[in-house]
Amino acid sequence: MVKIHERRFVSVDPEKCVGCQICEYICAWTKEKAFNPLKSRIRVVRLNPLVNVSITCRLCEDPPCVAACPRDALTQSEENGTILVDEDKCNGCGWCIEACDYGAIMLHPDKKVVFVCDLCKDKPDGPQCVKWCPEEALDLVTADVLAQKARITATKKLFQEVLKAAPSA
Amino acid sequence: MYGYAGRILHVDLTTGKTRVEPLNEEYAKKYIGGIGLGMRLWVDYSKAGVDPFSPENPLVLTTGPTSGTIWPTGGNGHAFVAKSPQTYGVAEAKSHGSFGTELKRAGYDGVIFHGRAEKPVYVWIDDDSVQILDASHLWGRSPAETEDVIKEELGDYYIRVAAIGPAGEKLVRIACIMNEKSRAAGRCGLGAVMGSKNLKAVAVRGTKDVAVAKPDEFLEFVKEFHERMKGPATKKYRTLGTPENVLVHNALHCMPTRNYNNAHFEAAEKVSGEYLNERFVAKIIGCSSCAMRCEHVCVVNEGPYKGAMARVEYEPLWAMGPYCGVDRLDAIIKGSELCNYYGIDSISAGVIVGFAMDCFENGILTVKDMDGIEARFGNHEAMVKLIEKIGKREGIGNILAEGVRLAAEKIGKGAEKLAQHIKGLEVTGYDLRCLKTAALGFAVSFRGADHNRHGAYAFDVKGKFNRLTYEKGRAKYVKDIEDVYTVIDSLIICKFSRGTYYKEFEDLAKVYTLVTGWETTPEEMRLKGERINNLARVINVREGLSRKDDTLPWKVMNVPIPDEGPSKGAYVRKEELELMLDDYYEVRGWTRDGIPTPEKLKALGMDDLIPIVEARIRKA
């Protein structure tokens, strides 16, 4: 099993996300050849005009969705940590949906089985939402890199005056 | 059919019956969608001379062929069409956000609301299921509150809602129809038409796929437009936003100030886009499928208007700011928030307040008339209070809620001269005395005073023409850009993205072809634009409008710009206006009275509308 430190997932920068739903459109197109955000594995939430994020699977360690499935329809990929759905076993009961803290696993609108981000495993250039996001708000990162980025962002904010004075420092 | 859903939904609010009919393919090809298709459907289902508040004035809601696709800015639009309670001609207003995508996915190119419900209702469109539900508990609520309550009671948080506020319920003539809290189909008073039908809101959930004819090429083109949208053509919208105009217009002395008493605002710096972005912009957000983002959401963090939040664009900022002599952005943000709360067009609202202040300064309206408000220019508290009164139709607000034209008629005492409108619709933030190409565009605009029917101000502001004079030959440019604009509003794409269509009709035709699969040449696309402009004109002719209504506000034609500077002394003389109109009608192929000729309509494939113009030409 891929170690948690090496597991990369799609993460959003809420500062950059504008709620445009292009990730939804391109995901649904890539996976289902349909223009229909309901078939997207990444979904946008706009709480009010100021709060916009898009959310998808975070490839948890010991994923609660897998544990919750009474029919053993879900497994976690040894290779990259994505959640694999056995569509023959899944009956759309929704226990995994209830177990997921992020609403990242959903019932498919047509197929009556659950579906979830697979990091565009068939695409050589990786997750298409990351590639298409016009705001560069999405990134494919490990938890460690996410923490690094957060530290750098926080430091930039703290020392913005210094950075303004000496941009190349 | 690709792009289109292929269906039109009829909702009869009088009988409670609904039915679906197939989209007329010929209409789709001729009028595209959006305002074009909407106006065509409106003609078919209305009679000449209908009262705007009559149940016989259908309210048409449309999407465009690109709605629901990933086309940048095109995925998300919707339009409303009916007869306007302001202009008594055709009303159209678009809005963006996500509502249009949802309606398309529910499987409709258009919805026509007929009749009038006995009690307040809202219409719930859940794919193929359409229900008319009680809205008595929503009556009196703001569009945003209405949206929240509907999502909660229907138990789906991804439902999209378009709703009117208290102003629409009370038939305030500048009422708008709002969706997703900050977006509005703003102009021409369509919210009042909706209110006259006792229709509080339209809630939609759509789950179907939207198919395009040539998806691979389409996506390639989308990608290219994403790149174009990162370039200079959209920079303004992504950075300072449209409020950038404040200092640009002010420097040229073409920013109407204090109800057209000046063309230059001495305190412009304090209401500039630069100041706004530095102090108040909290976040810039985007609509569904847009790769630009433009919506500058502003928050007031301190002072008497602390906590106010609204999206701010140039026009409302100008209307509630310089036009009222107000130099405080916090008050302008509060004013915008109130406009959103009551559901009124924030451009018209500001212009009406400016008009009221001018009446007050001239002694036409007294403090008593004003319910005790010292409505001097520059009094920000008065501006905010008057907007609230208009929204509620309270006291003086009951008269002002009629719009400047009708309010001036009621007030009398020369107030007509202070009412700055065209065809009953309040002016927008371009001083037409010194922007003469724009003046023509405004005078002939089919929905009244408006910059969004032509964008002809760009020729003046950017210096393509001498903005202080007019010479024969310029009308061609106005016509051409009008034809682009009707295509834009029918597809429906966002006007902020117009600069990314480098090859104009060629690019627009390519989008249309890739989406619908109907091979369309740039010339055919241009013809669609021309056809839609003629259609709008035919509607106005049917409703009794003609050359006499293609005019300019009183001050534009009678009060030269007084300010020392680059526009001093400018105004539009009567002969100049006549020259503009002659030039324009000739280019359009219309009669001297501004009526499309039967030959013109035949050439544009609108033979069935010829009887309308024949009757009028005989009369003339």
Side-chain angles (χ1 to χ4, degrees):
Chain A
M1 173 69 70
V2 59
K3 287 197 192 109
I4 189 167
H5 291 282
E6 284 149 25
R7 215 172 281 158
R8 298 202 298 164
F9 55 91
V10 175
S11 150
V12 66
D13 182 342
E15 297 269 325
K16 289 184 183 165
C17 179
V18 299
C20 71
Q21 298 175 292
I22 286 173
C23 52
E24 294 183 351
Y25 273 105
I26 205 64
C27 178
W29 176 256
T30 305
K31 303 306 295 180
E32 315 247 350
K33 292 281 173 266
F35 291 118
N36 188 346
L38 293 173
K39 294 180 178 171
S40 168
R41 280 116 175 106
I42 184 166
R43 293 304 303 269
V44 172
V45 179
R46 177 175 286 172
L47 273 194
N48 74 29
L50 298 178
V51 182
N52 298 269
V53 290
S54 48
I55 294 176
T56 190
C57 179
R58 300 183 76 82
L59 321 185
C60 308
E61 181 84 349
D62 297 328
C65 55
V66 173
C69 180
R71 298 169 64 94
D72 297 329
L74 301 181
T75 48
Q76 186 163 33
S77 156
E78 294 279 335
E79 189 193 337
N80 64 5
T82 52
I83 306 302
L84 309 172
V85 182
D86 184 334
E87 295 193 356
D88 293 330
K89 286 186 184 166
C90 175
N91 68 348
C93 70
W95 281 103
C96 57
I97 297 171
E98 211 167 316
C100 177
D101 285 337
Y102 314 105
I105 192 161
M106 293 160 285
L107 193 60
H108 192 281
D110 294 342
K111 290 197 286 193
K112 315 303 175 203
V113 294
V114 295
F115 68 129
V116 64
C117 172
D118 68 357
L119 298 176
C120 290
K121 60 181 164 61
D122 304 325
K123 290 280 179 184
D125 53 351
Q128 296 299 294
C129 55
V130 175
K131 190 182 153 208
W132 279 73
C133 176
E135 299 298 324
E136 297 176 8
L138 296 175
D139 204 356
L140 183 65
V141 288
T142 63
D144 294 342
V145 173
L146 201 59
Q148 291 171 3
K149 282 173 59 177
R151 286 194 290 271
I152 291 168
T153 307
T155 311
K156 274 184 184 164
K157 273 186 193 159
L158 280 169
F159 293 94
Q160 48 187 307
E161 293 306 315
V162 180
L163 290 169
K164 238 184 246 169
S168 58
Chain B
M1 251 187 230
Y2 291 101
Y4 297 97
R7 303 196 306 170
I8 301 289
L9 170 66
H10 291 262
V11 178
D12 190 326
L13 296 163
T14 308
T15 62
K17 293 218 166 85
T18 67
R19 69 188 163 87
V20 172
E21 65 180 33
L23 170 68
N24 177 335
E25 194 172 309
E26 190 197 328
Y27 277 10
K29 285 180 175 162
K30 280 186 174 167
Y31 305 104
I32 308 176
I35 68 165
L37 178 65
M39 291 193 291
R40 180 63 230 210
L41 292 171
W42 186 82
V43 180
D44 288 359
Y45 289 96
S46 64
K47 292 203 181 82
V50 61
D51 186 85
F53 292 145
S54 149
E56 309 298 316
N57 179 20
L59 178 65
V60 184
L61 160 63
T62 53
T63 58
T66 61
S67 304
T69 73
I70 192 181
W71 184 253
T73 84
N76 58 57
H78 66 278
F80 285 97
V81 172
K83 182 165 174 176
S84 167
Q86 289 202 274
T87 70
Y88 284 76
V90 67
E92 52 82 12
K94 289 81 45 196
S95 179
H96 293 261
S98 298
F99 181 83
T101 70
E102 207 71 27
L103 186 60
K104 174 63 80 60
R105 279 198 297 281
Y108 306 101
D109 300 302
V111 184
I112 308 177
F113 299 97
H114 304 270
R116 173 189 287 152
E118 205 174 314
K119 289 178 190 156
V121 294
Y122 74 94
V123 171
W124 165 220
I125 302 170
D126 184 7
D127 281 341
D128 293 341
S129 150
V130 181
Q131 296 177 66
I132 301 174
L133 301 172
D134 175 52
S136 48
H137 58 304
L138 300 170
W139 215 241
R141 289 183 192 259
S142 75
E145 289 165 352
T146 300
E147 184 179 327
D148 287 343
V149 172
I150 288 178
K151 283 180 178 176
E152 197 67 46
E153 72 188 19
L154 295 179
D156 184 335
Y157 300 95
Y158 277 72
I159 287 170
R160 309 290 178 182
V161 178
I164 57 168
E169 298 168 8
K170 293 188 168 136
L171 309 187
V172 172
R173 285 179 195 264
I174 60 163
C176 62
I177 304 167
M178 297 203 58
N179 57 291
E180 291 146 90
K181 305 191 175 176
S182 60
R183 316 289 314 193
R187 304 230 76 198
C188 301
L190 286 161
V193 173
M194 192 158 153
S196 76
K197 299 190 167 310
N198 273 325
L199 177 59
K200 178 67 182 175
V202 184
V204 189
R205 177 170 62 182
T207 65
K208 299 171 189 172
D209 298 345
V210 176
V212 306
K214 300 176 182 174
D216 294 328
E217 287 168 72
F218 175 71
L219 274 176
E220 276 305 307
F221 209 35
V222 170
K223 194 79 200 154
E224 186 180 333
F225 266 73
H226 279 199
E227 287 310 311
R228 292 187 192 184
M229 284 181 173
K230 289 175 189 161
T234 64
K235 183 161 178 279
K236 169 177 167 183
Y237 305 106
R238 289 181 285 113
T239 53
L240 289 182
T242 53
E244 181 183 300
N245 294 357
V246 172
L247 293 186
V248 175
H249 291 187
N250 204 47
L252 292 173
H253 287 217
C254 67
M255 185 164 68
T257 299
R258 288 177 283 266
N259 199 41
Y260 260 93
N261 286 339
N262 300 91
H264 176 259
F265 188 41
E266 63 289 346
E269 293 281 347
K270 288 170 74 182
V271 293
S272 64
E274 288 76 358
Y275 199 83
L276 182 80
N277 277 269
E278 199 183 306
R279 302 285 181 97
F280 296 101
V281 175
K283 174 98 183 168
I284 307 174
I285 61 172
C287 294
S288 175
S289 82
C290 176
M292 290 163 53
R293 80 193 172 112
C294 70
E295 193 174 332
H296 290 58
V297 183
C298 299
V299 177
V300 178
N301 285 317
E302 58 190 359
Y305 303 114
K306 185 175 173 178
M309 180 169 91
R311 170 198 185 192
V312 176
E313 296 293 341
Y314 167 69
E315 296 291 343
L317 182 160
W318 156 81
M320 290 179 270
Y323 203 74
C324 297
V326 168
D327 64 358
R328 285 183 58 152
L329 282 167
D330 57 349
I332 293 167
I333 295 167
K334 182 66 190 178
S336 300
E337 188 186 66
L338 287 171
C339 289
N340 293 348
Y341 184 86
Y342 292 105
I344 50 178
D345 170 9
S346 48
I347 302 177
S348 285
V351 172
I352 294 171
V353 173
F355 157 79
M357 287 176 162
D358 210 2
C359 288
F360 183 81
E361 298 265 3
N362 282 288
I364 296 170
L365 288 172
T366 63
V367 178
K368 190 162 164 278
D369 295 330
M370 287 294 211
D371 309 325
I373 300 171
E374 278 282 339
R376 298 227 166 271
F377 282 124
N379 182 345
H380 64 91
E381 287 168 340
M383 183 271 287
V384 169
K385 274 187 199 152
L386 285 171
I387 284 180
E388 192 151 19
K389 281 180 175 287
I390 293 170
K392 289 182 183 167
R393 264 195 187 273
E394 176 190 282
I396 183 71
N398 194 31
I399 294 170
L400 298 178
E402 295 291 284
V404 293
R405 175 165 71 178
L406 295 175
E409 275 175 27
K410 287 189 179 173
I411 294 165
K413 303 178 201 168
E416 293 86 352
K417 293 176 178 174
L418 308 183
Q420 301 300 99
H421 68 87
I422 298 169
K423 301 183 177 74
L425 188 67
E426 289 75 15
V427 290
T428 69
Y430 301 85
D431 197 312
L432 303 175
R433 293 174 292 194
C434 63
L435 302 171
K436 299 226 164 140
T437 325
L440 170 57
F442 273 69
V444 297
S445 152
F446 57 76
R447 74 170 184 181
D450 202 88
H451 53 290
N452 264 332
R453 286 271 39 93
H454 48 82
Y457 52 86
F459 299 126
D460 300 317
V461 172
K462 292 183 178 160
K464 182 174 171 70
F465 299 126
N466 179 349
R467 64 187 175 90
L468 299 173
T469 59
Y470 187 90
E471 69 287 330
K472 189 171 156 54
R474 234 187 258 185
K476 186 190 175 306
Y477 293 87
V478 173
K479 170 195 173 283
D480 286 349
I481 195 168
E482 278 183 330
D483 292 347
V484 177
Y485 271 39
T486 42
V487 169
I488 287 178
D489 287 344
S490 300
L491 272 171
I492 305 166
I493 55 174
C494 171
K495 296 230 176 68
F496 288 0
S497 71
R498 65 189 183 274
T500 59
Y501 294 78
Y502 299 152
K503 295 180 191 161
E504 229 162 53
F505 285 117
E506 196 179 323
D507 286 341
L508 292 163
K510 185 171 170 187
V511 177
Y512 190 69
T513 302
L514 294 178
V515 169
T516 63
W518 295 329
E519 286 296 334
T520 308
T521 65
E523 174 56 17
E524 283 166 343
M525 211 62 198
R526 192 197 62 71
L527 266 176
K528 290 182 207 293
E530 186 180 356
R531 184 180 300 122
I532 295 164
N533 269 303
N534 275 268
L535 168 67
R537 190 75 183 189
V538 169
I539 294 178
N540 280 353
V541 165
R542 194 188 82 172
E543 300 307 313
L545 276 64
S546 64
R547 183 178 185 120
K548 66 183 186 322
D549 303 287
D550 290 343
T551 185
L552 293 163
W554 191 85
K555 285 191 187 181
V556 172
M557 298 191 61
N558 291 281
V559 184
I561 291 177
D563 311 81
E564 287 302 328
S567 299
K568 187 174 165 70
Y571 74 110
V572 180
R573 288 170 292 114
K574 180 99 181 63
E575 314 81 74
E576 216 169 3
L577 175 66
E578 301 305 334
L579 170 68
M580 289 176 183
L581 296 183
D582 288 342
D583 191 13
Y584 178 80
Y585 296 158
E586 194 185 318
V587 173
R588 277 271 175 226
W590 296 349
T591 69
R592 282 212 68 232
D593 202 31
I595 297 167
T597 58
E599 298 74 46
K600 185 45 119 182
L601 296 188
K602 203 168 170 49
L604 291 170
M606 296 196 286
D607 304 55
D608 55 334
L609 298 177
I610 289 175
I612 295 175
V613 295
E614 274 180 345
R616 278 299 298 270
I617 291 171
R618 270 200 306 272
K619 247 194 212 169

